[in-house]
Amino acid sequence: MLGSYSQPNNKPLFGFVLVAKEDDSSTGALKKPTDYTLVYTSNSTKIKQDKDGYVWLPTAPEGYRALGHVVTNTPQKPSLDKIMCVRSDFTEQCETYSWIWGPQKSEDDKGFNVFSIRPTNRGIKAQGVLVGTFLAYVGAATTSTIPLSCLKTSTINNFSYSMPNLPQINALVKAYAPIMYLHPDEKYQPCSTNWFFSNGGLLYHKGEESKPVAIDPNGSNLPQFGSNDGTYWLDLPSDKTNNERVKKGDFKTCQAYIHVKPMFGGTFTDLAMWVFYPFNGPGTAKLGLISKVSLGKIGEHVGDWEHVTLRISNFNGWLWNIYFSEHSKGQWVDASMVEFQNGNKPVAYSSLNGHAFYPKAGLVLQGAGDIGIRNDTAKSNMVVDLGVGYEIVAGGEYLENEIVVEPPWLNYFREWGPKINYDVKQELEKLEKVFPLLKEIEDVLPNELLGEEGPTGPKVKNNWTGDES
């Protein structure tokens, strides 16, 4: 045992905690603790409980680290045989992640709280391994004061030995790929990149704006690699009829573009599933009793990349978490807490106009109280099974003896839309004269709602090599 497991009791029991066995005792990889310190007891806390609880922190021998707590229901210290500590060079620094519990969540970080923990350094080359334990702590837990560590794999930069092969990846996609619902009022649908290019998408070059170039169906004539230096950008067709037609997209051609990523030292596989929209529609606000206030052109831009990420355990192939990208941020949701359809397939809702992904249908407000930017989601007849017609576009280097050919458009690192041709600040000021309450949410408006340029593609995002959040 490396530590106990903890989760909130307002959701189904769903989680894991790693255990360890030493193959060769001469390496001294594991050692018993020398003592325990009582971190917390609930015997004087006025809460509903089956029995008193006691949370103990193991005292690790010199050169070793504790990876988790021991929880008991008696005041006697646990046996030293109850848990093992790990040699320091097999461990890595960890950080608190989500708050699990506390008798009273402390706003000033002075009370007792329980947090999940994860490796501090996370990404496709990071060696930290998620153990599944938790941190019980009194006061503000900073990275330097956390008394626990995570495991570390000894492998550097190559996790192909623990990653699924290509047939297994395809099986996982078909089993777990989300069912995506567009809002019934959605005018700006997703489409394939091939459809966008073949239907008149244009490449512009700075200084030669009068001579845009038609884009090959697979993007083979797009400039490759480099940096987003403002010298190139994409746009909709220049003639009005095709411009309006392509702007609306065609969800029937939509396909997911999948990036296969090793996470937590190759113990998990992330399947980042990217979806392209030719156009992001205007924003809408809710201002108290005024349910819907159009923000005019604010929020509109050409080119919109959104994604959901499936996090799958390489120990057993189970789906553990799903990441829903929501504008410039997003959220991880346990698989036990999402809506499923057709067996194992989670449901993802694309918000009206803005196309942020959410796990539940309804209204999500970005703002404060009943004032904010609307993110409306609902089921409709516009449905996309992301496990049909998908394309694995990256990640072959982590799949042993497998080759994944990256499409040329993936290595186009410039903007997928032009700089917008209106003054966002001026537009806001006009609206605020009519709706003064808008001033209260100006500071929390999503970056892309106020952005003046089209977005970059998936490979330029920080989460391409790092974790989602």
Side-chain angles (χ1 to χ4, degrees), residues 361-406:
L363 169 64
V364 175
L365 274 185
Q366 287 181 279
D370 60 351
I371 300 174
I373 301 300
R374 296 184 66 102
N375 291 277
D376 291 281
T377 58
K379 286 183 177 174
S380 73
N381 293 326
M382 294 181 285
V383 187
V384 179
D385 184 341
L386 297 182
V388 175
Y390 63 90
E391 182 181 349
I392 297 175
V393 297
E397 62 268 37
Y398 313 115
L399 308 178
E400 197 165 6
N401 300 320
E402 305 284 3
I403 297 175
V404 174
V405 179
E406 296 186 353

Side-chain angles (χ1 to χ4, degrees), residues 2-141:
L2 299 176
S4 298
Y5 171 77
S6 177
Q7 70 166 60
N9 62 1
N10 60 354
K11 63 181 183 179
L13 180 62
F14 184 81
F16 73 94
V17 63
L18 297 183
V19 295
K21 181 180 179 181
E22 195 167 19
D23 282 343
D24 182 358
S25 60
S26 64
T27 63
L30 302 175
K31 270 193 179 180
K32 299 173 186 178
T34 58
D35 199 3
Y36 291 97
T37 301
L38 181 65
V39 178
Y40 171 76
T41 176
S42 65
N43 63 359
S44 60
T45 307
K46 295 179 180 180
I47 57 173
K48 183 180 178 181
Q49 56 183 342
D50 298 321
K51 293 182 179 180
D52 292 338
Y54 299 83
V55 182
W56 304 89
L57 175 67
T59 303
E62 185 177 353
Y64 289 76
R65 295 284 294 174
L67 272 60
H69 295 284
V70 175
V71 179
T72 67
N73 56 17
T74 65
Q76 289 75 38
K77 287 184 179 182
S79 165
L80 296 179
D81 294 325
K82 182 70 176 176
I83 195 170
M84 284 293 198
C85 301
V86 178
R87 209 173 74 194
S88 296
D89 57 325
F90 291 148
T91 68
E92 192 164 287
Q93 186 182 70
C94 65
E95 65 181 19
T96 58
Y97 176 38
S98 59
W99 180 79
I100 297 175
W101 183 81
Q104 184 176 2
K105 188 174 182 181
S106 175
E107 298 297 331
D108 56 5
D109 292 326
K110 293 181 180 178
F112 170 79
N113 288 288
V114 179
F115 297 90
S116 63
I117 53 176
R118 63 183 182 181
T120 303
N121 182 28
R122 301 179 307 284
I124 59 176
K125 295 184 178 181
Q127 297 173 261
V129 174
L130 190 68
V131 181
T133 54
F134 67 91
L135 173 70
Y137 202 78
V138 177

Side-chain angles (χ1 to χ4, degrees), residues 319-379:
L319 175 65
W320 282 104
N321 311 97
I322 304 172
Y323 182 81
F324 296 84
S325 66
E326 298 163 1
H327 303 300
S328 54
K329 298 181 181 178
Q331 62 172 321
W332 281 108
V333 180
D334 287 349
S336 64
M337 299 299 287
V338 302
E339 177 184 348
F340 284 88
Q341 189 172 309
N342 302 336
N344 291 329
K345 299 181 78 64
V347 175
Y349 293 91
S350 175
S351 66
L352 179 62
N353 288 352
H355 310 142
F357 280 119
Y358 292 95
K360 304 290 183 184
L363 169 64
V364 175
L365 274 185
Q366 287 181 279
D370 60 351
I371 300 174
I373 301 300
R374 296 184 66 102
N375 291 277
D376 291 281
T377 58
K379 286 183 177 174

Side-chain angles (χ1 to χ4, degrees), residues 26-267:
S26 64
T27 63
L30 302 175
K31 270 193 179 180
K32 299 173 186 178
T34 58
D35 199 3
Y36 291 97
T37 301
L38 181 65
V39 178
Y40 171 76
T41 176
S42 65
N43 63 359
S44 60
T45 307
K46 295 179 180 180
I47 57 173
K48 183 180 178 181
Q49 56 183 342
D50 298 321
K51 293 182 179 180
D52 292 338
Y54 299 83
V55 182
W56 304 89
L57 175 67
T59 303
E62 185 177 353
Y64 289 76
R65 295 284 294 174
L67 272 60
H69 295 284
V70 175
V71 179
T72 67
N73 56 17
T74 65
Q76 289 75 38
K77 287 184 179 182
S79 165
L80 296 179
D81 294 325
K82 182 70 176 176
I83 195 170
M84 284 293 198
C85 301
V86 178
R87 209 173 74 194
S88 296
D89 57 325
F90 291 148
T91 68
E92 192 164 287
Q93 186 182 70
C94 65
E95 65 181 19
T96 58
Y97 176 38
S98 59
W99 180 79
I100 297 175
W101 183 81
Q104 184 176 2
K105 188 174 182 181
S106 175
E107 298 297 331
D108 56 5
D109 292 326
K110 293 181 180 178
F112 170 79
N113 288 288
V114 179
F115 297 90
S116 63
I117 53 176
R118 63 183 182 181
T120 303
N121 182 28
R122 301 179 307 284
I124 59 176
K125 295 184 178 181
Q127 297 173 261
V129 174
L130 190 68
V131 181
T133 54
F134 67 91
L135 173 70
Y137 202 78
V138 177
T142 63
T143 301
S144 60
T145 61
I146 291 178
L148 301 175
S149 296
C150 292
L151 280 174
K152 181 176 72 172
T153 177
S154 58
T155 304
I156 301 176
N157 296 342
N158 181 16
F159 304 119
S160 60
Y161 71 94
S162 64
M163 293 289 286
N165 58 33
L166 199 54
Q168 290 171 328
I169 291 290
N170 286 318
L172 292 169
V173 172
K174 289 174 182 176
Y176 297 135
I179 302 292
M180 180 180 74
Y181 280 97
L182 304 181
H183 191 277
D185 297 330
E186 183 62 68
K187 296 179 182 178
Y188 307 109
Q189 303 171 13
C191 68
S192 68
T193 54
N194 185 299
W195 185 91
F196 176 65
F197 298 151
S198 299
N199 281 270
L202 296 172
L203 171 67
Y204 283 81
H205 186 201
K206 189 174 182 179
E208 300 178 5
E209 289 85 351
S210 62
K211 297 184 291 184
V213 176
I215 305 170
D216 293 341
N218 67 350
S220 59
N221 62 332
L222 293 173
Q224 300 288 284
F225 304 105
S227 62
N228 184 22
D229 53 11
T231 57
Y232 292 94
W233 62 91
L234 306 188
D235 204 349
L236 299 166
S238 54
D239 63 290
K240 186 175 181 180
T241 301
N242 277 326
N243 183 290
E244 291 300 316
R245 180 179 62 84
V246 174
K247 181 186 289 187
K248 293 177 181 178
D250 183 355
F251 80 94
K252 294 179 181 178
T253 72
C254 176
Q255 60 182 136
Y257 302 104
I258 300 176
H259 178 204
V260 181
K261 301 165 56 179
M263 289 301 295
F264 298 125
T267 56

